Amino acid sequence: MQLHRQSLTAYAAPLCETVAECPRPTGSEVLVRISRCGVCHSDLHMQDGYFSLGDDKQLDVRAGRTLPFTLGHEIAGTIESAGPDAPGATPGSSVAVYPWIGCGQCPACRVGEENICTAPRHLGITVDGGFASHVLVPHPRYLLDYAPLPAAYAGALMCSGLTAYAALKRLSERAKRAPLLLIGLGGVGLMGLALARAMYGSAPYVADIDASKREAALAAGAQAAFDPADAGARKALLKASGGIYAACDFVGSDKSLNFATGVLAKGGKVVVTGLLGGAYSTAVAMFPLKAMSIEGTTTGTLAETRELLDLVRTKNIAPPPIVERPLASAQATLDDLRAGRIIGRVVLTV
Ligand SMILES: [Zn+2]
Ligand SMILES: [Zn+2]
């Protein structure tokens, strides 16, 4: 059986099709035939080989990956075959794949936080992922039943949905006091908007520099939308909200974080999930004077993924706008994402 992939064969170069022999699952491994794989902003950083840290500094992320490499971590598909020690892996079952797989040994993994493992086996990041016909998963416990959701939605929940959910959970105490602020209404932000309404029952404020994304957020039930590039936005939001207690920065740039911290009430907290890049500085005294918290998160745990799937199913949370494109358009989709031409989520069909 052949494995077809849209491969990263060199950094900062376009993906191209490669064909290899399909791996055979051994031990507890499961081979999943992919039907859908979402395209995520972090795929761009992996393709570049670095994250921008601001001030012309870069974080090199090329280590620990051999080329050709398969990007893609928002995977759904069906079980093709399984090794002899893969309990419950029934061929033909539809599954979403939890991609944030850890070593199982380190202090983070031991408490279930495989997403922040020190020696990760994250699919599409350090181990071959989902822009392909098949993916090899080390154990069936990472395979999640997603019925009755559509496969494209289930895939997108594994990263953008999970990231938004885990960030929102970290704001739960403050989100009960007053409406949240969500900054950056791309795939993660729009998912965050839907989840926030279901989790906390109030309509969040949103901010995005892109008018079409603000409109999409308002159509999806945001309370009010602000353009952070507008000089009056900070004051207008402070006036409307009386100060924000809980903000999610889904952009992760100097501008977005400055905007978030600039509208906080005393005791306010910002959770940063975005990775756009930039450097943030502030007077240290602002932390105690404003009783301010800034916390970072990256994706979420396997347990949180199960909670998220349950939440989406029980509260009937509609997916963000999803556009399906064939696997061969992986590179065109990355180009569109880089140019900011995508609203919602693009999911590749295999
Ligand atoms: Zn992602
Ligand atoms: Zn680990």
Side-chain angles (χ1 to χ4, degrees), residues 41-340:
H41 232 280
S42 63
D43 294 318
L44 293 177
H45 300 295
M46 291 300 135
Q47 184 174 35
D48 293 339
Y50 66 87
F51 286 96
S52 166
L53 299 178
D55 301 332
D56 296 324
K57 291 196 197 95
Q58 296 178 345
L59 175 67
D60 192 324
V61 292
R62 291 175 298 178
R65 193 177 305 117
T66 50
L67 302 182
F69 183 79
T70 312
L71 299 170
H73 50 265
E74 299 193 343
I75 306 166
T78 54
I79 294 177
E80 175 91 33
S81 57
D85 308 313
T90 313
S93 322
S94 296
V95 289
V97 182
Y98 175 79
W100 314 114
I101 298 167
C103 68
Q105 311 291 324
C106 74
C109 282
R110 285 205 298 271
V111 295
E113 296 189 341
E114 296 186 62
N115 54 313
I116 53 169
C117 173
T118 53
R121 299 178 289 167
H122 294 174
L123 302 180
I125 309 291
T126 50
V127 174
D128 280 332
F131 294 171
S133 57
H134 298 79
V135 65
L136 196 61
V137 180
H139 194 279
R141 70 195 198 94
Y142 301 112
L143 305 178
L144 306 164
D145 173 24
Y146 62 80
L149 307 175
Y153 188 18
L157 288 174
M158 297 300 110
C159 178
S160 58
L162 179 59
T163 297
Y165 176 71
L168 289 167
K169 259 187 87 172
R170 283 157 179 77
L171 292 165
S172 60
E173 234 172 73
R174 290 169 177 86
K176 286 172 197 151
R177 294 182 206 168
L180 289 142
L181 168 65
L182 310 180
I183 302 175
L185 279 298
V188 180
L190 278 178
M191 196 63 228
L193 177 58
L195 291 172
R197 292 180 65 207
M199 291 164 77
Y200 303 125
S202 61
Y205 297 101
V206 298
D208 199 298
I209 53 171
D210 183 330
S212 62
K213 289 181 179 156
R214 292 197 300 275
E215 272 163 39
L218 287 170
Q223 172 149 188
F226 298 84
D227 176 3
D230 172 351
R234 188 177 154 268
K235 267 195 179 159
L237 177 51
L238 278 170
K239 193 167 174 225
S241 65
I244 295 292
Y245 286 94
C248 282
D249 179 0
F250 296 124
V251 179
S253 73
D254 44 344
K255 289 196 180 96
S256 62
L257 187 54
N258 273 311
F259 186 76
T261 53
V263 295
L264 288 184
K266 273 193 183 179
K269 176 175 172 180
V270 184
V271 174
V272 183
T273 72
L275 292 160
L276 188 65
Y280 172 78
S281 72
T282 190
V284 177
M286 292 312 282
F287 285 92
L289 287 175
K290 285 188 79 171
M292 173 172 77
S293 305
I294 302 176
E295 185 174 326
T297 64
T298 180
T299 68
T301 66
L302 182 57
E304 284 168 338
T305 311
R306 293 183 187 283
E307 290 168 20
L308 171 64
L309 283 167
D310 285 345
L311 178 72
V312 167
R313 283 186 282 226
T314 54
K315 297 263 183 169
N316 222 346
I317 297 173
I322 289 177
V323 178
E324 297 194 343
R325 295 180 178 177
L327 176 62
S329 65
Q331 182 56 47
T333 301
L334 289 172
D335 292 340
D336 285 345
L337 201 59
R338 198 183 290 275

